[in-house]
Amino acid sequence: MKMVTGEEERVSDLLRTSESFLRYVAEWEADLAVLPLAQVVREAGGPGGVALHVVDLTVGFCDTGRLASPRIAAIVFPIVDLLCRAHDAGVKHFLLIQDAHPEGSPEFEAFGPHCVVGTPEAKTVPELEALPFSNQFLRIPKRSISPSIGTELESWMAAHPEVTRHIVVGDCTDICVYQTAMYLKMRANALMLEYEVLVPEDCVQTYDFSVERAQAIGAIPHDGDLLHLIALYHMALNGVRVVRTIT
């Protein structure tokens, strides 16, 4: 894509004026705190006050399909580890919020066909299914990037006011994880509820699609590193507690 002089100047100005902010955000990310799980449980008043929201950790985003990404597959182990430690600490609320699209979903216009109901892509990754407490998982299917529109999540939230610490993990940082964390935080703000939303960076990730690859097939590029960072920062900007890891 060839730019005319005015466009080139605008791009140069944007790069110049944004440099200090990008440095600030990178330094903010580098300084994220480590949060002990025991502290989360204690602040919640016990394990019954903690819920883990596992977003889109399905075969279609980790292993097989047009949206599968090795970057996302790499967070499976950290998430499994966190779930196991949470279960050992007595946590019982595990919500698997997952894409389950019908054929011809309108969302396919933006992302292409993925995670269609009844296909292998829509299945939970086997690492989660193999956990001995997987029978405790509450599976919440969704037809869009929103975790709450047309799903059972809002009714679950209303039925569990005792949960005061909501941990969000999964993918993608800037899409469904962002939507989930923001829904939870905005719900707390709007309803004057005193609960906290937490996102551990080592348990969220997004995909990468370079400008060169995108231009070659007429798609929209997606800088995974940058958008992961900006989404984390924007969640924090809105009151979500973003940490390096939950130990």
Side-chain angles (χ1 to χ4, degrees):
M1 180 183 297
K2 186 176 181 180
M3 293 185 293
V4 298
T5 302
E7 293 172 339
E8 292 177 346
E9 291 177 352
R10 284 194 293 274
V11 170
S12 296
D13 288 344
L14 178 62
L15 294 173
R16 175 178 52 79
T17 58
S18 298
E19 181 179 358
S20 62
F21 173 73
L22 290 174
R23 287 183 182 277
Y24 172 84
V25 175
E27 291 170 0
W28 166 84
E29 185 272 340
D31 199 38
L32 287 175
V34 172
L35 180 63
L37 178 60
Q39 180 180 335
V40 177
V41 173
R42 183 172 65 253
E43 292 176 350
V50 179
L52 281 103
H53 302 253
V54 184
V55 182
D56 281 337
L57 209 64
T58 62
V59 171
F61 292 112
C62 295
D63 302 311
T64 304
R66 69 190 311 275
L67 299 186
S69 166
R71 293 168 60 105
I72 294 171
I75 64 172
V76 172
F77 176 77
I79 291 175
V80 168
D81 177 66
L82 177 58
L83 265 61
C84 287
R85 289 187 288 109
H87 182 264
D88 290 344
V91 175
K92 302 298 183 184
H93 299 306
F94 301 97
L95 287 71
L96 271 56
I97 305 168
Q98 300 177 333
D99 270 10
H101 292 293
E103 294 282 357
S105 170
E107 187 176 290
F108 296 167
E109 295 178 10
F111 296 105
H114 63 279
C115 298
V116 174
V117 174
T119 68
E121 287 187 27
K123 293 182 178 180
T124 305
V125 293
E127 292 87 347
L128 288 187
E129 294 285 15
L131 292 176
F133 53 93
S134 62
N135 62 325
Q136 296 181 21
F137 295 160
L138 173 63
R139 301 167 197 271
I140 299 180
K142 60 185 177 70
R143 292 186 171 190
S144 74
I145 64 175
S146 168
S148 60
I149 299 174
T151 77
E152 299 176 7
L153 182 55
E154 176 57 33
S155 61
W156 187 92
M157 291 291 295
H160 293 83
E162 76 281 5
V163 177
T164 62
R165 295 297 181 273
H166 295 271
I167 303 171
V168 180
V169 300
D171 61 278
C172 289
T173 317
D174 56 319
I175 307 174
C176 293
V177 166
Y178 177 84
Q179 292 286 337
T180 301
M182 290 294 287
Y183 154 73
L184 292 169
K185 184 59 182 175
M186 297 308 102
R187 181 180 183 276
N189 291 352
L191 301 181
M192 303 287 287
L193 301 173
E194 294 184 1
Y195 64 71
E196 188 170 44
V197 183
L198 303 101
V199 174
E201 185 190 19
D202 66 332
C203 289
V204 298
Q205 191 50 264
T206 193
Y207 70 98
D208 184 79
F209 200 55
S210 71
V211 172
E212 292 76 19
R213 288 173 58 203
Q215 288 181 337
I217 62 172
I220 298 176
H222 187 274
D223 189 308
D225 290 340
L226 177 61
L227 292 173
H228 172 75
L229 178 61
I230 293 298
L232 290 171
Y233 180 79
H234 201 264
M235 285 187 278
L237 185 67
N238 283 279
V240 174
R241 188 176 183 183
V242 179
V243 298
R244 171 75 59 204
T245 185
I246 297 177
T247 58

